[in-house]
Amino acid sequence: MDVKNAFLHGELQEEVYLDQPPGYDDMSHPNYVCRLRKALYGLKQALRAWHDKIAEYLVTIGFRMLDADHSLYVCKSDEGIVVITIYVDDLIVGGDNEKEVEHVKRLLKQKFDMKDLGELKFFLGIEVIRTLEGIWLLQRQYALDMLSKYGMVGCKPISVPLNQNGKLSADVSEVLEDAIMYRKIMGSLIYMTITRPDLNYTVGLESQFMQVPWKPHLDGVRHTLRYVSATIDYGFFYEASTELQVHGYIDAHWAGSISDMRSTSGFMFSFGSAIVTWSSKK
């Protein structure tokens, strides 16, 4: 669902004043200013004011905000469970009872001016594909756009994201002239790790050199892009018929960093057929 003019719903908690807008000429009080009661687009407080407004309403209709993620709201009842995820002015509404989901959507439309965009298929670069067997979460189109943006379309694909023979460190000889390009590529790869845990360790390693990247670091990133081109269709598959069991794995690379001899630890937890949380940190 998409909220129309979302920021205009937010009510300000502090005093904010605005100069008289162009075209408004109050000759009797030329030095007066306007005090804002509600938020406007472009106002720094607008985003928080809007989130406070919709969060307050969701609580009144039975939802509670999760401590793990303040953009996630859950409502449990005897009829079922309804979940709402908020990203600025876009909402994902789902649950295990279609009547309850439709009821919540009606309540939201009564309170805010919203547009129902239908079944979720694409959201923030993530493709959602539903089949009878389960649900796929992919970033296929995002990966293709990224390869095109950085001139890697048609590159020779490889099967591993990191060159096993090379060791990336901060102590190399040739400085990279265009550090901004390196940071842009790393930003794109970091976003890809949302559905690609196989990139997590490699991207975490390469992102350590964004402050002062060198040519070997760029060569390593290009190596990773070649791996992405070979694994465009990789993603998560949440199988409908699988048994919902939790499995966890943890490992550590002891003193693996050649720059400062620090270790890298990692974990992965799956619920059912696919991973739900993971990490790789130095």
Side-chain angles (χ1 to χ4, degrees):
M1 302 186 72
D2 177 65
V3 186
K4 299 179 181 179
N5 299 320
F7 289 176
L8 302 184
H9 293 286
E11 297 177 358
L12 299 176
Q13 302 300 321
E14 55 275 313
E15 292 187 8
V16 179
Y17 295 92
L18 182 73
D19 288 337
Q20 293 182 19
Y24 178 80
D25 189 10
D26 189 350
M27 299 302 297
S28 58
H29 302 96
N31 297 321
Y32 274 27
V33 293
C34 307
R35 180 181 176 182
L36 294 180
R37 299 293 184 179
K38 288 193 173 184
L40 293 176
Y41 277 82
L43 198 66
K44 292 182 179 179
Q45 296 92 333
L47 181 58
R48 182 177 293 275
W50 153 243
H51 187 270
D52 290 343
K53 182 73 173 182
I54 191 170
E56 180 183 2
Y57 180 69
L58 289 175
V59 171
T60 62
I61 60 175
F63 283 83
R64 70 177 184 89
M65 182 178 67
L66 295 191
D67 294 331
D69 188 341
H70 291 182
S71 64
L72 187 62
Y73 294 80
V74 177
C75 179
K76 293 182 180 179
S77 65
D78 296 336
E79 288 75 21
I81 181 173
V82 180
V83 179
I84 294 179
T85 300
I86 303 173
Y87 181 80
V88 191
D89 58 353
D90 293 319
L91 280 71
I92 299 177
V93 185
D96 59 0
N97 187 315
E98 189 172 348
K99 290 184 178 179
E100 284 298 302
V101 172
E102 290 299 323
H103 174 66
V104 170
K105 288 164 65 175
R106 285 194 299 270
L107 291 176
L108 289 171
K109 288 180 180 179
Q110 291 172 7
K111 181 66 174 179
F112 306 102
D113 188 6
M114 288 191 175
K115 182 180 179 181
D116 191 342
L117 302 178
E119 188 177 87
L120 179 64
K121 295 181 179 179
F122 199 81
F123 191 75
L124 300 178
I126 302 173
E127 188 178 357
V128 182
I129 302 176
R130 287 181 173 86
T131 65
L132 294 177
E133 291 76 25
I135 297 177
W136 283 95
L137 295 183
L138 305 168
Q139 286 177 285
R140 181 169 47 192
Q141 188 59 50
Y142 180 85
L144 290 171
D145 293 342
M146 179 179 64
L147 293 172
S148 175
K149 180 179 180 180
Y150 301 120
M152 297 295 288
V153 174
C155 63
K156 184 178 179 181
I158 53 177
S159 59
V160 291
L162 185 65
N163 186 356
Q164 300 299 304
N165 298 322
K167 297 290 186 180
L168 295 179
S169 69
D171 186 20
V172 288
S173 56
E174 192 172 350
V175 179
L176 187 64
E177 294 183 0
D178 191 359
I180 296 178
M181 177 59 67
Y182 183 88
R183 294 166 190 153
K184 287 182 178 179
I185 298 175
M186 287 311 309
S188 300
L189 286 172
I190 289 172
Y191 191 73
M192 273 214 71
T193 59
I194 293 176
T195 61
R196 296 289 300 272
D198 54 317
L199 293 172
N200 225 45
Y201 171 75
T202 301
V203 172
L205 177 63
E206 294 168 343
S207 63
Q208 297 174 21
F209 310 105
M210 284 198 289
Q211 186 67 29
V212 185
W214 303 71
K215 189 177 183 303
H217 303 149
L218 180 61
D219 294 338
V221 168
R222 285 174 175 162
H223 186 103
T224 305
L225 291 176
R226 290 170 59 192
Y227 170 76
V228 171
S229 71
T231 56
I232 289 291
D233 293 326
Y234 277 25
F236 289 140
F237 179 62
Y238 295 95
E239 192 175 355
S241 59
T242 189
E243 188 175 355
L244 296 180
Q245 291 185 343
V246 178
H247 296 278
Y249 305 88
I250 188 167
D251 199 2
H253 187 189
W254 177 254
S257 174
I258 62 176
S259 300
D260 51 18
M261 297 304 292
R262 294 177 65 182
S263 304
T264 300
S265 62
F267 67 79
M268 183 206 80
F269 285 90
S270 63
F271 182 62
S273 62
I275 305 172
V276 292
T277 183
W278 62 94
S279 176
S280 176
K281 291 185 178 181
K282 185 168 78 167

